């Protein structure tokens, strides 16, 4: 089966022809936190670009920050007095948290830092700088000259949606007052470079030169304009933009009829959410999960893998609960399959998994870096006697790691240890958490179980070393000899060590503890 990114790459080459460079675009207004749902657009553009590069094509990925958009409303997490900045460019609104030069830069800086950890090559462009530098001046003049044609296109779609036509005074541009920087009223255009304005906020009026950057195209004109300006070949969009009569439909006609560029190939992506979370995420409402939140419990490669394997037109729910353990298991298996250490069920599935892994990686590692099993780390990080070095020692002793570890191996193991600690603290359900009892519990145990515990203690005392499998076999054999049901036997042992009926895999757990401690506890000694 062809990976969806490869399918799109082939479609782009087929429909756009052979180009010196293909341009893929993503973008957003930094009016709030850029969350994991917004990231889907960014990653979809990136991975299609990745597939094009794999075909020997030169690719430019543009991520457009629409930081020259108006500050339209005050989000819940922003002081109410910020309403005095409404209608100013978001790039010129002060940062409420005081850590960046502006409101927009606060959110842009967070996202750009998050993306840098993924190793993704991208050109971050700023609408603010492009408008202020006069780069779009010619296109703005074109839009003003072809105002009637643009209005006719927009009105056609408004009529289909049973909406009234745009007002006769409508213009394809808005004006920022050069004095107070709030939105001013458009008065007239002189047919060349000057636009007359009147500001309802500060009372200022006069003319501004389009090339000075105070005149900005409205959204439905701005988007298709930049498709032509940057010669965009592909841009994904959410289903709201791709709905019938939406901004993509109007944009297609405007870019071709007004700016003379074929509309880019699109791909609709669905929402992303967290399993169990209700409602759609919103940066302005504050109910968002950021890439930073995922970094607390997931390796960057796994984050890329989640998005790479999911078809964009399917809703994506990321499970930060118990499902996260399965995700680590799945990713590690795919990684082993890629490096030929494990085989998939059939050749077709194997090729698909390998390609998904390949597309998840900006650069595939030369070799398989040591995989510390995350599921087991969740147990080890809860052991009070084990520090980072002790955890690595247990992993080595139990055969979970190669005997020789390079720097990159150790770095990855240490990262997973930190992520496992974070997961236990933030997301692990209570039935996964445990703590080792400081002294033996006062519980009633059948004589057969007491005898079996003493025999396990004796078995441990008589051996200088043993494997987890050998201990596991001993536990079963000793119970079987006394006809103790496994469920009852394991329940008793868990209660003796952690005061719970269930717990981590018992043999691995006991083998990870200090042997003398295990022996004393099995003998119910303090």
């Amino acid at each position: 089966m062809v990976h969806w990114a490869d399918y799109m790459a082939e479609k782009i080459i087929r429909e756009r022809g052979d180009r010196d460079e293909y341009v893929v675009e993503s973008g957003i207004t930094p009016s709030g936190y850029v969350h994991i749902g917004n990231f889907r657009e960014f990653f979809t553009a990136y991975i299609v670009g990745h597939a094009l590069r794999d075909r020997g094509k030169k690719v430019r990925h543009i991520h457009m920050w629409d930081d020259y958009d108006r500050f339209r409303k005050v989000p819940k997490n922003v002081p109410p007095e910020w309403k005095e900045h409404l209608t100013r460019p978001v790039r010129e609104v002060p940062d409420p948290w005081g850590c960046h030069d502006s409101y927009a830069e606060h959110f842009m800086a967070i996202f750009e830092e998050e993306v840098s950890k993924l190793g993704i090559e991208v050109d971050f462009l700023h609408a603010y700088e492009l408008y202020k530098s006069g780069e779009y001046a010619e296109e703005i003049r074109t839009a003003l000259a072809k105002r009637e044609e643009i209005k006719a296109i927009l009105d056609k779609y408004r009529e289909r949606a049973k909406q009234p036509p745009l007002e006769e005074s409508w213009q394809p541009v808005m004006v920022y007052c050069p004095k107070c920087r709030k939105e001013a009223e458009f008065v007239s255009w002189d047919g060349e470079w000057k636009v007359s304005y009147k500001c309802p906020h500060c009372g200022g009026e006069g003319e501004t030169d389009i090339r000075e950057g105070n005149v900005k195209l409205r959204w439905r004109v701005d988007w298709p304009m930049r498709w032509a300006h940057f010669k965009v070949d592909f841009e994904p969009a959410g289903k709201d933009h791709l709905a019938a009569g939406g901004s993509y439909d109007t944009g297609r006609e405007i870019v071709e009829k007004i700016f003379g560029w074929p509309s880019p190939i699109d791909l609709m992506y669905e929402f992303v959410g967290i399993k169990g979370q209700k409602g759609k995420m919103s940066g302005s409402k504050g109910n968002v999960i950021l890439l930073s939140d995922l970094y607390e419990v997931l390796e960057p490669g796994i984050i890329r893998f989640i998005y790479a394997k999911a078809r964009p037109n399917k809703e994506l729910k990321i499970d930060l609960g118990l499902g996260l353990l399965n995700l680590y298991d799945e990713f590690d298996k795919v990684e082993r399959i890629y490096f030929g250490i494990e085989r998939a069920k059939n050749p077709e599935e194997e090729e698909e998994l390998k390609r998904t892994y390949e597309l998840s990686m900006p650069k595939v590692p030369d070799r398989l870096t040591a995989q510390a099993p995350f599921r087991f780390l969740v147990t080890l990080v809860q052991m009070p006697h084990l520090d980072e070095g002790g955890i690595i020692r247990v992993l080595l002793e139990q055969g979970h790691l190669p005997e020789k570890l390079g720097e990159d191996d150790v770095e990855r193991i240490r990262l997973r240890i930190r992520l496992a600690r974070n997961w236990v603290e933030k997301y692990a359900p209570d039935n996964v958490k445990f703590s080792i009892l400081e002294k033996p519990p006062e519980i009633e145990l059948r004589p057969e179980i007491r005898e079996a515990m003493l025999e396990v203690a004796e078995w441990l005392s008589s051996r200088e070393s043993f494997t987890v499998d050998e201990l596991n076999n001993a536990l079963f054999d000793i119970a079987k000899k006394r006809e103790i049901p496994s469920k009852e036997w394991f329940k008793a042992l868990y209660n003796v060590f952690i005061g719970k009926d269930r717990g981590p895999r018992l043999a691995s757990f006991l083998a990870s503890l200090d042997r003398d401690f295990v022996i004393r506890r099995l003998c119910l000694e303090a």
Side-chain angles (χ1 to χ4, degrees):
M1 186 182 290
V2 177
H3 191 278
W4 60 265
D6 289 318
Y7 171 81
M8 290 307 301
E10 292 290 354
K11 182 178 181 182
I12 291 165
I13 294 168
R14 186 172 63 250
E15 295 186 14
R16 306 298 275 195
D18 193 23
R19 297 188 182 279
D20 292 336
E21 180 181 70
Y22 293 90
V23 179
V24 300
E25 184 183 32
S26 53
I28 192 170
T29 302
S31 56
Y33 289 104
V34 184
H35 53 70
I36 59 171
N38 306 135
F39 176 69
R40 192 168 207 180
E41 176 176 320
F42 179 96
F43 190 84
T44 302
Y46 156 73
I47 197 173
V48 171
H50 190 323
L52 283 165
R53 287 189 185 98
D54 286 350
R55 284 157 176 74
K57 305 299 181 183
K58 187 180 178 186
V59 178
R60 184 187 186 196
H61 178 184
I62 291 169
H63 183 79
M64 183 62 69
W65 286 119
D66 286 311
D67 53 353
Y68 208 35
D69 285 1
R70 293 171 305 159
F71 185 51
R72 294 185 300 108
K73 62 180 180 180
V74 180
K76 287 182 179 178
N77 58 340
V78 172
E81 53 266 31
W82 249 248
K83 66 183 178 184
E84 70 177 88
H85 301 293
L86 290 174
T87 81
R88 286 191 174 123
V90 288
R91 180 73 173 267
E92 295 181 18
V93 174
D95 179 8
W97 301 278
C99 49
H100 293 87
D101 291 339
S102 77
Y103 179 82
E105 286 173 270
H106 180 89
F107 303 113
M108 294 188 296
I110 292 170
F111 185 71
E112 288 187 25
E113 185 182 346
E114 290 172 338
V115 166
S116 70
K117 294 178 183 178
L118 294 171
I120 290 174
E121 187 181 321
V122 59
D123 286 345
F124 285 106
L125 300 183
H126 298 264
Y128 182 86
E129 291 160 7
L130 292 161
Y131 273 104
K132 295 292 279 182
S133 68
E135 178 150 348
Y136 294 153
E138 285 288 354
E139 286 97 332
I140 294 170
R141 203 161 71 151
T142 297
L144 284 166
K146 297 184 176 183
R147 170 195 171 274
E148 292 300 327
E149 293 173 58
I150 295 171
K151 184 177 182 299
I153 291 168
L154 296 176
D155 279 343
K156 179 177 70 175
Y157 285 95
R158 291 175 69 86
E159 185 181 356
R160 289 178 187 173
K162 295 189 166 81
Q163 294 176 334
L166 294 165
E167 294 178 4
E168 278 308 312
S169 61
W170 179 87
Q171 293 293 334
V173 299
M174 59 167 288
V175 183
Y176 284 117
C177 175
K179 295 174 184 175
C180 73
R181 302 302 294 146
K182 293 187 177 183
E183 185 178 2
E185 293 172 7
F186 177 99
V187 175
S188 63
W189 171 53
D190 70 356
E192 288 295 327
W193 296 108
K194 298 290 177 66
V195 167
S196 299
Y197 69 91
K198 186 175 182 180
C199 181
H201 305 284
C202 70
E205 57 183 293
E207 286 184 337
T208 183
D209 192 304
I210 290 169
R211 293 165 293 194
E212 291 173 356
N214 297 317
V215 180
K216 180 193 177 298
L217 291 169
R218 297 196 180 277
W219 161 243
R220 291 225 182 197
V221 188
D222 174 275
W223 198 16
M225 176 278 295
R226 71 173 187 239
W227 287 339
H229 189 88
F230 292 105
K231 296 181 167 45
V232 176
D233 296 298
F234 170 74
E235 180 163 7
K239 59 184 178 182
D240 48 347
H241 290 309
L242 281 167
S247 49
Y248 226 112
D249 273 356
T250 57
R252 282 189 186 98
E253 281 204 47
I254 291 171
V255 72
E256 290 171 8
K257 293 178 179 176
I258 307 301
F259 298 109
W261 180 256
S263 61
I265 292 164
D266 62 70
L267 178 62
M268 190 270 283
Y269 60 85
E270 264 284 2
F271 297 126
V272 178
I274 297 298
K275 189 175 180 182
Q277 184 185 57
K278 292 182 180 178
K280 183 183 170 184
M281 283 187 288
S282 165
S284 58
K285 289 180 181 175
N287 63 331
V288 296
I289 297 289
L290 308 184
L291 282 175
S292 302
D293 297 311
L294 298 187
Y295 284 140
E296 290 183 336
V297 292
L298 290 168
E299 290 180 339
I302 297 182
I303 295 172
R304 292 190 300 260
F305 177 73
I306 292 169
Y307 285 85
K309 71 170 185 160
R311 292 183 176 276
N313 62 349
K314 301 291 184 186
E315 189 173 0
L316 176 58
K317 288 284 189 182
I318 299 174
D319 190 347
L320 296 179
L322 276 176
L324 183 128
L325 306 183
N326 297 330
L327 178 60
Y328 268 95
D329 290 345
E330 180 189 5
F331 179 76
D332 286 355
K333 181 179 179 179
V334 170
E335 200 169 42
R336 290 193 297 273
I337 287 170
Y338 183 85
F339 286 101
I341 294 161
E342 195 170 320
R343 302 305 300 266
K345 291 178 182 176
N346 57 66
E348 188 178 301
E349 182 192 22
E350 187 159 310
E351 285 309 307
E352 187 180 355
L353 292 174
K354 282 183 175 182
R355 184 60 180 148
T356 302
Y357 178 78
E358 215 166 45
L359 287 164
S360 302
M361 299 293 159
K363 185 178 181 298
V364 175
D366 295 330
R367 65 176 182 87
L368 177 64
T369 315
Q371 299 174 322
F374 195 83
R375 194 179 291 272
F376 189 32
L377 285 177
V378 165
T379 298
L380 296 181
V381 297
Q382 297 184 74
M383 305 278 208
H385 68 293
L386 291 178
D387 57 11
E388 194 176 76
I391 289 171
I392 294 173
R393 188 186 68 252
V394 168
L395 291 170
L396 285 164
E397 288 172 353
Q398 296 197 19
H400 294 291
L401 299 174
E403 290 180 11
K404 290 184 179 179
L405 297 173
E407 281 184 30
D408 51 347
D409 295 310
V410 175
E411 188 180 333
R412 187 183 196 188
I413 296 162
R414 284 176 172 161
L415 172 62
R416 284 203 173 185
I417 290 170
R418 290 197 301 275
L419 299 176
R421 286 191 202 281
N422 290 342
W423 184 77
V424 169
E425 183 183 321
K426 292 174 179 288
Y427 300 109
D430 288 341
N431 62 356
V432 171
K433 295 179 182 180
F434 67 85
S435 57
I436 296 167
L437 300 176
E438 291 183 11
K439 58 182 182 178
E442 294 180 5
I443 54 174
E444 289 289 330
L445 295 171
R446 287 202 289 130
E448 294 87 348
I449 290 176
R450 287 287 296 113
E451 286 175 18
M453 287 168 57
L454 292 171
E455 186 173 343
V456 174
E458 188 179 330
W459 185 92
L460 289 169
S461 301
S462 66
R463 281 162 177 76
E464 288 186 17
S465 64
F466 55 87
T467 66
V468 171
D469 284 342
E470 287 171 342
L471 175 56
N472 192 53
N473 290 336
L475 289 169
F476 276 99
D477 291 344
I478 289 167
K480 188 177 181 181
K481 186 164 62 176
R482 294 172 174 80
E483 297 183 347
I484 302 169
S486 296
K487 190 175 180 181
E488 183 186 359
W489 171 227
F490 277 55
K491 179 181 175 181
L493 291 173
Y494 283 128
N495 271 282
V496 164
F497 283 91
I498 62 173
K500 286 187 165 190
D501 291 348
R502 300 179 67 183
R505 291 176 181 173
L506 192 59
S508 296
F509 170 67
L510 295 178
S512 306
L513 293 166
D514 176 75
R515 181 162 58 165
D516 290 340
F517 166 78
V518 175
I519 291 167
R520 289 197 306 274
R521 181 55 57 90
L522 288 168
C523 297
L524 298 182
E525 295 173 4

